[in-house]
Amino acid sequence: MRPHLYLMLKEPRPGRVKTRLGREIGMVGAAAWFRQQIARACRELDDPRWQLVLAVAPDRAGLMSRMFPPHLPRVAQGQGDLGARMARLLRNAPPGPAAIVGGDVPGVRRAHVARAFAMLGRRDAVFGPADDGGYWLVGLKRSRTVPATLFDDVRWSSADALEDSIRSLGGLRHGLIDQLRDVDGAADMCALTPRAPQTIGLKR
Protein backbone atom coordinates (compact mmCIF):
# COMPACT_ATOMS: atom_id res chain seq x y z
CA MET A 1 0.00 0.00 0.00
CA ARG A 2 1.37 3.40 -0.96
CA PRO A 3 2.08 5.57 2.11
CA HIS A 4 0.37 8.91 2.58
CA LEU A 5 2.24 12.09 3.44
CA TYR A 6 0.19 14.98 4.84
CA LEU A 7 1.59 18.50 4.46
CA MET A 8 -0.07 20.72 7.07
CA LEU A 9 -0.77 24.19 5.69
CA LYS A 10 -2.64 27.31 6.67
CA GLU A 11 -3.95 29.58 3.96
CA PRO A 12 -1.14 32.14 3.56
CA ARG A 13 -3.04 35.31 4.46
CA PRO A 14 -1.29 38.15 6.31
CA GLY A 15 -1.93 37.90 10.03
CA ARG A 16 -3.03 34.25 9.83
CA VAL A 17 0.30 32.49 9.27
CA LYS A 18 3.79 32.83 10.74
CA THR A 19 2.63 35.55 13.10
CA ARG A 20 5.77 35.45 15.22
CA LEU A 21 7.85 36.03 12.11
CA GLY A 22 5.31 38.63 11.03
CA ARG A 23 5.84 40.64 14.20
CA GLU A 24 9.49 40.96 13.22
CA ILE A 25 9.40 41.39 9.44
CA GLY A 26 5.77 42.39 8.88
CA MET A 27 2.70 40.25 8.37
CA VAL A 28 2.64 40.79 4.61
CA GLY A 29 6.26 39.72 4.29
CA ALA A 30 5.73 36.67 6.47
CA ALA A 31 2.70 35.58 4.42
CA ALA A 32 4.62 36.10 1.17
CA TRP A 33 7.46 33.96 2.50
CA PHE A 34 5.00 31.23 3.42
CA ARG A 35 3.39 31.29 -0.04
CA GLN A 36 6.83 30.74 -1.57
CA GLN A 37 7.54 27.99 0.95
CA ILE A 38 4.28 26.20 0.07
CA ALA A 39 5.31 26.12 -3.59
CA ARG A 40 8.79 24.82 -2.72
CA ALA A 41 7.46 22.15 -0.38
CA CYS A 42 4.87 20.89 -2.84
CA ARG A 43 7.47 20.63 -5.62
CA GLU A 44 9.96 18.84 -3.38
CA LEU A 45 7.64 16.42 -1.62
CA ASP A 46 5.42 15.38 -4.54
CA ASP A 47 6.85 11.92 -5.22
CA PRO A 48 5.41 8.73 -6.75
CA ARG A 49 6.60 6.67 -3.77
CA TRP A 50 3.86 8.19 -1.62
CA GLN A 51 0.63 10.15 -2.01
CA LEU A 52 1.10 13.78 -1.03
CA VAL A 53 -2.04 15.30 0.49
CA LEU A 54 -2.49 18.91 1.62
CA ALA A 55 -4.08 19.15 5.08
CA VAL A 56 -5.43 22.69 4.99
CA ALA A 57 -6.86 25.31 7.34
CA PRO A 58 -9.19 27.08 7.77
CA ASP A 59 -11.33 24.19 6.65
CA ARG A 60 -13.72 25.76 4.14
CA ALA A 61 -11.42 28.54 2.92
CA GLY A 62 -8.49 26.14 2.66
CA LEU A 63 -10.41 23.62 0.59
CA MET A 64 -11.49 26.35 -1.83
CA SER A 65 -8.29 28.42 -1.82
CA ARG A 66 -6.45 29.21 -5.05
CA MET A 67 -3.22 29.68 -3.10
CA PHE A 68 -2.50 25.95 -2.99
CA PRO A 69 -1.45 23.83 -6.00
CA PRO A 70 -4.70 22.64 -7.60
CA HIS A 71 -3.39 19.24 -8.71
CA LEU A 72 -2.83 17.92 -5.18
CA PRO A 73 -5.65 16.41 -3.11
CA ARG A 74 -6.76 18.30 0.01
CA VAL A 75 -8.38 17.45 3.29
CA ALA A 76 -9.51 19.82 6.02
CA GLN A 77 -7.54 19.79 9.27
CA GLY A 78 -10.71 20.18 11.31
CA GLN A 79 -11.11 21.62 14.78
CA GLY A 80 -8.98 21.29 17.90
CA ASP A 81 -5.40 21.92 18.93
CA LEU A 82 -2.40 20.67 16.98
CA GLY A 83 -2.52 17.25 18.63
CA ALA A 84 -6.21 16.74 17.90
CA ARG A 85 -5.76 17.73 14.27
CA MET A 86 -2.73 15.50 13.72
CA ALA A 87 -4.34 12.54 15.47
CA ARG A 88 -7.42 12.92 13.26
CA LEU A 89 -5.30 12.91 10.11
CA LEU A 90 -3.47 9.76 11.17
CA ARG A 91 -6.66 7.96 12.20
CA ASN A 92 -8.54 8.85 9.02
CA ALA A 93 -5.75 8.12 6.53
CA PRO A 94 -6.33 5.32 4.01
CA PRO A 95 -4.82 1.91 4.88
CA GLY A 96 -1.04 1.86 5.13
CA PRO A 97 1.66 4.04 6.69
CA ALA A 98 0.99 7.76 7.10
CA ALA A 99 3.18 10.70 8.10
CA ILE A 100 2.73 14.41 8.72
CA VAL A 101 5.17 17.23 7.93
CA GLY A 102 4.76 20.88 8.80
CA GLY A 103 4.32 23.33 5.96
CA ASP A 104 7.21 25.53 7.12
CA VAL A 105 10.12 23.10 6.67
CA PRO A 106 12.21 24.52 3.80
CA GLY A 107 15.06 22.05 4.36
CA VAL A 108 13.03 18.85 4.17
CA ARG A 109 13.84 16.70 1.16
CA ARG A 110 12.42 13.57 -0.41
CA ALA A 111 15.27 11.61 1.17
CA HIS A 112 14.08 12.60 4.66
CA VAL A 113 10.57 11.38 3.93
CA ALA A 114 11.88 8.16 2.37
CA ARG A 115 13.90 7.48 5.54
CA ALA A 116 10.81 8.07 7.66
CA PHE A 117 8.74 5.54 5.73
CA ALA A 118 11.65 3.08 5.74
CA MET A 119 11.77 3.41 9.53
CA LEU A 120 8.08 2.49 9.64
CA GLY A 121 9.04 -0.83 8.10
CA ARG A 122 10.80 -1.60 11.39
CA ARG A 123 8.89 0.47 13.95
CA ASP A 124 5.30 1.40 14.73
CA ALA A 125 5.98 5.15 14.84
CA VAL A 126 8.62 7.59 13.65
CA PHE A 127 9.58 11.14 14.63
CA GLY A 128 11.87 13.66 13.02
CA PRO A 129 13.20 15.51 16.08
CA ALA A 130 13.95 19.22 16.20
CA ASP A 131 16.77 20.69 18.22
CA ASP A 132 14.40 22.54 20.56
CA GLY A 133 12.65 19.46 21.90
CA GLY A 134 9.86 19.41 19.33
CA TYR A 135 9.68 17.59 16.02
CA TRP A 136 9.14 18.35 12.35
CA LEU A 137 7.71 14.97 11.27
CA VAL A 138 5.56 12.28 12.86
CA GLY A 139 4.39 9.06 11.26
CA LEU A 140 2.63 5.80 12.12
CA LYS A 141 2.85 2.37 10.51
CA ARG A 142 -0.84 1.90 11.30
CA SER A 143 -0.67 -1.89 11.37
CA ARG A 144 -2.30 -1.56 14.81
CA THR A 145 -5.13 0.59 16.08
CA VAL A 146 -4.03 4.20 16.54
CA PRO A 147 -3.79 4.73 20.32
CA ALA A 148 -6.71 6.61 21.86
CA THR A 149 -4.15 8.56 23.91
CA LEU A 150 -2.20 9.80 20.89
CA PHE A 151 -0.98 13.38 21.52
CA ASP A 152 -2.87 13.66 24.83
CA ASP A 153 -1.28 16.02 27.37
CA VAL A 154 1.52 17.14 25.05
CA ARG A 155 3.16 20.39 26.11
CA TRP A 156 3.30 22.05 22.72
CA SER A 157 5.80 24.87 22.13
CA SER A 158 8.08 23.45 24.81
CA ALA A 159 11.22 21.38 25.10
CA ASP A 160 9.02 18.48 26.21
CA ALA A 161 6.84 18.16 23.09
CA LEU A 162 8.70 15.19 21.60
CA GLU A 163 9.04 13.36 24.91
CA ASP A 164 5.35 13.89 25.70
CA SER A 165 4.32 12.70 22.23
CA ILE A 166 6.39 9.53 22.56
CA ARG A 167 4.76 8.86 25.92
CA SER A 168 1.33 9.23 24.32
CA LEU A 169 2.03 6.31 21.94
CA GLY A 170 0.88 3.83 24.55
CA GLY A 171 3.84 1.50 24.16
CA LEU A 172 4.16 1.51 20.36
CA ARG A 173 7.76 1.06 19.25
CA HIS A 174 9.18 4.26 17.77
CA GLY A 175 12.26 5.32 15.86
CA LEU A 176 13.94 8.64 15.16
CA ILE A 177 15.29 10.03 11.90
CA ASP A 178 17.16 13.21 11.00
CA GLN A 179 17.19 16.06 13.51
CA LEU A 180 16.36 19.33 11.77
CA ARG A 181 16.48 22.88 12.98
CA ASP A 182 13.39 24.82 14.01
CA VAL A 183 13.13 28.43 12.80
CA ASP A 184 10.48 30.76 14.13
CA GLY A 185 11.77 34.30 13.76
CA ALA A 186 13.89 36.59 11.62
CA ALA A 187 17.10 35.79 13.48
CA ASP A 188 16.59 32.10 12.79
CA MET A 189 16.02 32.77 9.09
CA CYS A 190 19.36 34.58 8.93
CA ALA A 191 21.00 31.28 9.86
CA LEU A 192 19.69 29.66 6.69
CA THR A 193 22.88 29.85 4.64
CA PRO A 194 24.33 27.30 2.22
CA ARG A 195 26.54 26.09 5.08
CA ALA A 196 23.65 25.62 7.52
CA PRO A 197 20.75 23.15 7.46
CA GLN A 198 17.76 25.01 5.99
CA THR A 199 15.05 23.59 8.17
CA ILE A 200 11.99 24.83 9.91
CA GLY A 201 9.91 22.45 11.99
CA LEU A 202 6.53 21.68 13.45
CA LYS A 203 6.49 23.97 16.43
CA ARG A 204 3.20 25.10 17.89
Side-chain angles (χ1 to χ4, degrees):
M1 292 175 286
R2 188 160 65 144
H4 280 69
L5 177 67
Y6 292 92
L7 183 62
M8 293 190 78
L9 301 172
K10 291 183 179 180
E11 192 180 28
R13 302 280 186 184
R16 294 184 182 178
V17 296
K18 303 302 295 179
T19 53
R20 176 174 169 183
L21 178 63
R23 288 193 291 270
E24 299 178 9
I25 68 170
M27 295 299 176
V28 172
W33 176 87
F34 194 59
R35 283 195 297 273
Q36 295 172 354
Q37 166 55 22
I38 288 172
R40 286 195 298 266
C42 290
R43 286 194 303 269
E44 177 62 32
L45 299 181
D46 192 5
D47 190 283
R49 290 172 289 180
W50 51 78
Q51 175 64 63
L52 179 62
V53 180
L54 307 184
V56 298
D59 292 350
R60 184 173 180 180
L63 290 172
M64 299 175 64
S65 179
R66 297 183 179 181
M67 295 186 180
F68 302 129
H71 69 286
L72 293 172
R74 305 179 195 182
V75 296
Q77 291 184 22
Q79 301 302 307
D81 66 9
L82 176 62
R85 287 178 279 131
M86 292 199 302
R88 186 181 303 113
L89 289 172
L90 293 172
R91 288 194 178 98
N92 294 341
I100 299 170
V101 174
D104 50 359
V105 188
V108 70
R109 299 291 180 261
R110 291 181 177 93
H112 294 121
V113 175
R115 282 194 284 274
F117 284 128
M119 178 67 73
L120 291 177
R122 308 186 299 274
R123 297 287 188 272
D124 300 310
V126 63
F127 291 91
D131 60 359
D132 63 354
Y135 50 95
W136 58 272
L137 175 145
V138 58
L140 293 181
K141 187 174 185 177
R142 298 176 72 248
S143 58
R144 305 182 185 182
T145 302
V146 176
T149 58
L150 185 65
F151 304 130
D152 283 356
D153 301 320
V154 174
R155 289 167 284 183
W156 302 110
S157 300
S158 80
D160 302 297
L162 176 57
E163 181 180 346
D164 290 347
S165 296
I166 292 172
R167 188 179 301 113
S168 79
L169 292 174
L172 295 183
R173 298 180 307 155
H174 74 277
L176 303 177
I177 58 165
D178 310 73
Q179 179 170 312
L180 302 181
R181 178 178 178 175
D182 286 282
V183 176
D184 292 311
D188 298 320
M189 292 184 68
C190 290
L192 301 181
T193 69
R195 295 184 298 275
Q198 296 190 10
T199 55
I200 296 180
L202 272 171
K203 184 179 180 183
R204 301 290 189 274

